[in-house]
Amino acid sequence: MNTAAPTLDLAAYCRDTAKRAKEASAELATLDAEIKNRWLNESADALVDSVDQIITANALDLAAAPGYGLTDAAVDRLRLDADRIGAIATALREISMLADPVGEVLDGFTRPGGLQILKKRVPLGVVFFIYESRPNVTADAAAICVKSGNAVILRGGKEAIHSSRAIVDLLTATAENCGLPAAAVQLVSTTDRAAVGEFLSLHESIDVAIPRGGEGLIRRVTAEATMPVIKHFDGNCHVYVDQSADVQMAAKIVHNAKCQRMGVCNACESLLIHESIAAAALPVIAKRLQAESVEIRADQAAAALIPDSVPATEADWGTEYLGPIISVAVVRSVDEAIRHINRYGSHHTDAIVTRDLAAAEAFTAGVDSSAVMVNASTRFNDGGVFGLGAEIGISTDKFHARGPCGLRELTTYKYIVKGDGQIRT
Amino acid sequence: MNTAAPTLDLAAYCRDTAKRAKEASAELATLDAEIKNRWLNESADALVDSVDQIITANALDLAAAPGYGLTDAAVDRLRLDADRIGAIATALREISMLADPVGEVLDGFTRPGGLQILKKRVPLGVVFFIYESRPNVTADAAAICVKSGNAVILRGGKEAIHSSRAIVDLLTATAENCGLPAAAVQLVSTTDRAAVGEFLSLHESIDVAIPRGGEGLIRRVTAEATMPVIKHFDGNCHVYVDQSADVQMAAKIVHNAKCQRMGVCNACESLLIHESIAAAALPVIAKRLQAESVEIRADQAAAALIPDSVPATEADWGTEYLGPIISVAVVRSVDEAIRHINRYGSHHTDAIVTRDLAAAEAFTAGVDSSAVMVNASTRFNDGGVFGLGAEIGISTDKFHARGPCGLRELTTYKYIVKGDGQIRT
């Protein structure tokens, strides 16, 4: 691990890395899908063939983990074994089977005068991906970026630096064997935090920055970036139980959305319920949540129907708990539910449980979120479910990409215009 | 014209304006196309019916113009008469005839387990549009934003403030008649420059900022904006004449791209020519340009073939002249042309003149620009030509929107997921 010591060298190192990525991106942009897919499959083989080497590198990270103060759960996520390396390889093979987004024709027509116009999907160019410690993300992100025709600069967490280095060395060696530019995938070789700032200043070489991690990281990247950022902020997701809902379905969906996995962005954090069904449904729903030790923070009307609830404060409506707490409010109409969600929610994922067509239509039209569910759990907002095949993150932005970001979300387009001597008059 | 004096009031005024726009955008997002189209047509009628009133307001701007130091050309662009007001009205009627982008289904499928997924086009929300003095832009921008379901805050140049106010008052009165929210279109009522900075800080209410004007304005907005910006920087456009080109076609296209309108972003600023056709073609092309008093700044090889050329410097390759100057370089291959364009160009519009299929394919694949032309003038990069119907600008970004920005480029999407009680396991 070489660490660039003086600031001047760091700036030069970052500029050089970005420049090589930009040059590689020009080659990658027109590379045949077959070559990219061969690289993915041969990389998968190389990972499986090099299990011992990767585990040895991973052991260095595991040995250093206590020094970084990692929790047991974080150490477990960091740990690689043959099965986990096999899963990383499988993910690469799956990405090789996805359709190449590059070259897809998005629109095309012939204009009066005979100009033939095609709007064609092309890569964005260079992706700067900043992420935290899980080493499987290193391979995944590299695969998604290169399959979509982009060069990628990976800035992984220092906690996984040896594991990531071992994986990227294999990907890079395979790249050269397969005819990809060596700089298609580059891992930032210094753990100096200042390197992130340097890269974020290089908007002439880097087309998009994607941070994946805690809110602090995302805020820092957003504040410092001079290029566009695909952000992944919090998910304060709601389930609204309409007056016409099937009570058992509502209880099942709320339970799944809250409890199936509590620490994720598409978990339910708030339950809204129509006043005319609250008395019948809230006790049933609350019982299932309380059986999983979920604390219920209720407004006055809901509290009257739920034993052992805690009073909700204004702050609760805007809070993403990521754990065993849910806020509950009674509303008078689907419109009130929509207004509440648009005001307090994070525009991520929100669901309605209803048997009423008009309520479903009003809710899906009115709620301003990346995914709006009808009679389904919020947990389904996911690149795999939405047919993207693999995702590099879930965007909480509206601009460019919204919701799960897969291969297509890492592309832009160009217009190609063919004539036979046309001039403008 | 009321000007908010103390800073505190200005900040409050901007926040309040943005908040009203955000509220209006929620209504606009689900408004029937028929209502938006009725507003466009009734606004067109109102403009035509109010010609005298608009001309009276315009006279105040014309009277103030010398005080702002406007050139004769700028004063001419500012002037409104019955014909020009009629043209503004016609543009609104044309926008009413375009398909509504809102609700367009971009993708849709049913997943194993029966979840039905739709990816549906929705408005971005609130557009903050900052532009310079032409009053027709006021009506155009309002129409494009509202037709695509967005609320718009218009910040026009002070030079046209009375004309813009008269136009917006008509649009707003018609909005209320037609059932649109009154805050669908708001004109910033203060000419205080600090108001722009205030609005650019309001990313919670404003979804995108679009500056249209000189480079200084765009740089300021980009630097200060806390929300995404659709930028329109310069167009350093090239025509590359390949070795297989038809010389007469090449001369006609270069002449049109350079001379048809010199001050626009899709005019040609640089000519590249293959060495094997330079001796035959350059004198013909140069003669047509020099007949229009275009100064030719040539590299050594080109200079030898063009009487009365001026030596080009390194700076010439990166310069957008917007006037009667062109740079000319001789290259040895289509690949050298592509590398030159990607290095010195502005990724706006570039053309090849060729009879060779492989050269055309290499050029369109390799040149990283919003529009790449084959045997056609660069002047065709235009929303009208590309079937967008109306444009709010031409993006020089790759992110979200590239090239001409019409109705669709002012939208995003959401996923709508319908189930019958599905939960994730």
Side-chain angles (χ1 to χ4, degrees):
Chain A
M1 216 52 40
N2 50 337
T3 303
T7 311
L8 201 71
D9 284 354
L10 182 68
Y13 164 78
C14 295
R15 265 202 317 276
D16 185 52
T17 301
K19 187 163 169 277
R20 282 190 295 136
K22 190 77 187 169
E23 287 162 6
S25 76
E27 258 184 82
L28 284 166
T30 57
L31 208 65
D32 199 284
E34 209 182 325
I35 296 175
K36 296 185 284 190
N37 293 338
R38 191 184 316 142
W39 171 69
L40 288 164
N41 286 306
E42 292 192 10
S43 294
D45 294 343
L47 287 169
V48 171
D49 290 346
S50 310
V51 159
D52 293 344
Q53 180 182 330
I54 297 169
I55 289 176
T56 303
N58 185 241
L60 296 174
D61 290 329
L62 293 172
Y68 293 130
L70 292 196
T71 62
D72 287 352
V75 172
D76 179 60
R77 285 196 295 271
L78 186 57
R79 188 183 312 279
L80 291 176
D81 56 24
D83 280 356
R84 286 183 173 182
I85 295 166
I88 295 172
T90 300
L92 297 191
R93 291 190 220 280
E94 284 171 358
I95 292 169
S96 83
M97 287 183 280
L98 298 174
D100 191 335
V102 178
E104 187 187 346
V105 174
L106 302 172
D107 209 352
F109 42 89
T110 301
R111 300 293 296 169
L115 280 183
Q116 297 173 47
I117 298 176
L118 281 186
K119 185 179 178 184
K120 222 171 183 182
R121 201 183 280 286
V122 298
L124 278 170
V126 176
V127 178
F128 177 40
F129 186 62
I130 312 108
Y131 57 108
E132 293 179 345
S133 51
R134 281 162 52 173
N136 62 314
V137 174
T138 300
D140 244 33
I144 294 173
C145 290
V146 171
K147 172 86 184 203
S148 54
N150 298 286
V152 63
I153 300 168
L154 298 165
R155 162 63 184 220
K158 60 183 179 311
E159 302 84 356
I161 189 78
H162 298 91
S163 315
S164 291
R165 169 54 62 203
I167 292 169
V168 169
D169 283 349
L170 290 168
L171 297 180
T172 306
T174 314
E176 291 185 275
N177 285 342
C178 294
L180 264 73
V185 178
Q186 295 181 89
L187 180 70
V188 178
S189 63
T190 166
T191 56
D192 188 339
R193 273 173 61 94
V196 174
E198 290 292 338
F199 281 113
L200 293 176
S201 74
L202 301 173
H203 60 89
E204 296 201 350
S205 307
I206 298 173
D207 294 285
V208 61
I210 307 180
R212 193 156 126 190
E215 196 177 321
L217 172 71
I218 299 172
R219 293 213 183 276
R220 182 195 168 192
V221 169
T222 306
E224 292 186 25
T226 58
M227 66 288 291
V229 178
I230 296 179
K231 293 188 284 293
H232 180 171
F233 276 129
D234 55 347
N236 178 17
C237 305
H238 297 73
V239 176
Y240 164 61
V241 177
D242 187 44
Q243 60 180 327
S244 68
D246 177 296
V247 172
Q248 292 309 321
M249 185 192 289
K252 186 174 74 161
I253 286 174
V254 173
H255 174 266
N256 184 259
K258 178 71 238 174
C259 304
Q260 195 247 344
R261 213 172 142 198
M262 296 207 189
V264 292
C265 58
N266 57 16
C268 173
E269 306 291 4
S270 195
L271 166 65
L272 305 177
I273 190 159
H274 193 283
E275 58 181 2
S276 71
I277 198 177
L282 260 190
V284 180
I285 296 169
K287 203 173 155 196
R288 288 201 62 174
L289 295 173
Q290 287 170 331
E292 307 267 4
S293 306
V294 173
E295 175 183 314
I296 296 178
R297 301 197 182 166
D299 73 356
Q300 223 177 339
L305 298 164
I306 308 174
D308 305 317
S309 67
V310 174
T313 66
E314 175 74 12
D316 279 303
W317 310 125
T319 300
E320 181 186 24
Y321 304 112
L322 294 172
I325 310 174
I326 192 169
S327 63
V328 180
V330 172
V331 296
R332 277 158 303 181
S333 65
V334 63
D335 284 338
E336 190 183 331
I338 294 167
R339 280 197 305 274
H340 180 107
I341 291 168
N342 286 342
R343 176 171 175 193
Y344 294 106
S346 62
H347 310 288
H348 193 294
T349 312
D350 301 286
I352 183 174
V353 184
T354 187
R355 283 190 282 216
D356 181 47
L357 184 59
E361 291 298 318
F363 191 86
T364 54
V367 170
D368 181 24
S369 296
S370 80
V372 187
M373 312 296 192
V374 179
N375 296 332
S377 171
T378 55
R379 292 276 296 112
F380 285 114
N381 188 356
D382 174 278
V385 173
F386 289 0
L388 277 64
E391 70 186 28
I392 197 158
I394 297 186
S395 166
T396 53
D397 289 321
K398 285 184 176 182
F399 207 71
H400 183 78
R402 195 178 197 193
C405 292
L407 300 175
R408 285 181 174 175
E409 287 69 25
L410 293 177
T411 66
T412 178
Y413 52 85
K414 66 164 81 157
Y415 289 94
I416 295 174
V417 181
K418 294 192 180 166
D420 51 5
Q422 281 86 343
I423 57 171
R424 193 149 176 194
T425 50
Chain B
M1 219 48 43
N2 49 336
T3 304
T7 309
L8 200 70
D9 284 353
L10 183 68
Y13 164 77
C14 295
R15 265 201 317 277
D16 184 54
T17 301
K19 187 163 168 276
R20 282 190 295 136
K22 191 76 187 170
E23 286 162 5
S25 76
E27 259 184 82
L28 285 165
T30 57
L31 209 66
D32 199 283
E34 208 182 327
I35 296 174
K36 296 186 283 190
N37 293 338
R38 190 184 315 141
W39 170 71
L40 288 164
N41 285 307
E42 291 192 10
S43 293
D45 293 344
L47 287 169
V48 171
D49 291 347
S50 311
V51 159
D52 293 344
Q53 181 182 332
I54 297 170
I55 289 176
T56 304
N58 184 242
L60 296 174
D61 289 329
L62 293 173
Y68 294 130
L70 293 196
T71 63
D72 288 354
V75 172
D76 179 60
R77 284 196 297 270
L78 186 58
R79 189 183 310 279
L80 291 176
D81 55 26
D83 280 354
R84 287 184 173 181
I85 295 166
I88 295 173
T90 300
L92 297 191
R93 291 190 219 282
E94 284 171 358
I95 291 168
S96 83
M97 287 184 279
L98 298 174
D100 190 336
V102 178
E104 188 187 344
V105 174
L106 301 172
D107 209 351
F109 41 89
T110 301
R111 298 294 294 169
L115 280 182
Q116 296 173 48
I117 298 176
L118 282 185
K119 184 178 177 185
K120 223 173 182 181
R121 202 183 278 287
V122 299
L124 278 170
V126 176
V127 178
F128 177 41
F129 186 63
I130 313 109
Y131 57 107
E132 292 179 346
S133 53
R134 281 161 53 172
N136 62 314
V137 175
T138 300
D140 245 34
I144 294 172
C145 290
V146 171
K147 172 86 185 203
S148 53
N150 298 286
V152 62
I153 299 168
L154 297 165
R155 162 65 183 219
K158 59 185 181 309
E159 303 83 355
I161 189 77
H162 298 92
S163 314
S164 290
R165 168 56 60 202
I167 292 169
V168 170
D169 283 350
L170 290 167
L171 297 181
T172 305
T174 314
E176 292 185 275
N177 286 342
C178 294
L180 264 74
V185 178
Q186 295 180 89
L187 180 70
V188 178
S189 63
T190 166
T191 55
D192 188 340
R193 272 174 62 94
V196 173
E198 290 292 339
F199 282 113
L200 292 176
S201 74
L202 301 173
H203 60 89
E204 296 201 348
S205 307
I206 297 174
D207 294 285
V208 60
I210 307 180
R212 193 155 125 191
E215 195 178 321
L217 171 71
I218 299 172
R219 293 212 183 276
R220 184 196 166 190
V221 169
T222 305
E224 292 186 26
T226 57
M227 65 287 292
V229 177
I230 296 180
K231 293 189 284 294
H232 179 171
F233 276 128
D234 55 349
N236 178 18
C237 304
H238 297 73
V239 177
Y240 163 61
V241 178
D242 186 44
Q243 60 180 328
S244 69
D246 176 297
V247 171
Q248 292 308 321
M249 186 194 288
K252 186 175 73 162
I253 286 175
V254 173
H255 175 266
N256 183 260
K258 179 72 237 176
C259 305
Q260 195 246 347
R261 215 172 140 199
M262 297 208 189
V264 293
C265 57
N266 55 17
C268 174
E269 306 291 4
S270 194
L271 166 65
L272 305 178
I273 189 159
H274 193 282
E275 59 180 2
S276 71
I277 199 177
L282 261 190
V284 181
I285 296 169
K287 202 174 155 193
R288 287 200 64 175
L289 294 173
Q290 288 171 331
E292 307 267 4
S293 305
V294 173
E295 176 184 314
I296 295 178
R297 300 197 183 166
D299 72 356
Q300 222 176 341
L305 298 164
I306 308 172
D308 304 318
S309 65
V310 174
T313 66
E314 175 75 12
D316 280 303
W317 310 126
T319 299
E320 181 186 26
Y321 304 112
L322 294 172
I325 308 174
I326 191 168
S327 63
V328 181
V330 173
V331 295
R332 277 159 301 180
S333 65
V334 64
D335 284 338
E336 189 181 333
I338 293 167
R339 280 197 305 274
H340 180 108
I341 292 168
N342 287 342
R343 174 169 176 193
Y344 295 107
S346 63
H347 311 288
H348 193 292
T349 312
D350 300 286
I352 183 174
V353 185
T354 188
R355 283 189 282 215
D356 180 47
L357 183 59
E361 291 298 319
F363 192 85
T364 54
V367 170
D368 181 24
S369 296
S370 80
V372 187
M373 313 298 194
V374 178
N375 296 332
S377 172
T378 55
R379 291 277 296 113
F380 286 114
N381 188 356
D382 176 276
V385 173
F386 289 180
L388 277 63
E391 70 187 27
I392 197 158
I394 296 185
S395 166
T396 52
D397 289 322
K398 284 184 176 181
F399 207 70
H400 183 79
R402 195 177 197 193
C405 292
L407 300 176
R408 285 181 174 175
E409 287 70 25
L410 293 178
T411 66
T412 179
Y413 53 84
K414 65 164 81 156
Y415 289 94
I416 294 174
V417 181
K418 294 191 180 168
D420 51 7
Q422 282 86 342
I423 57 171
R424 193 150 175 192
T425 50

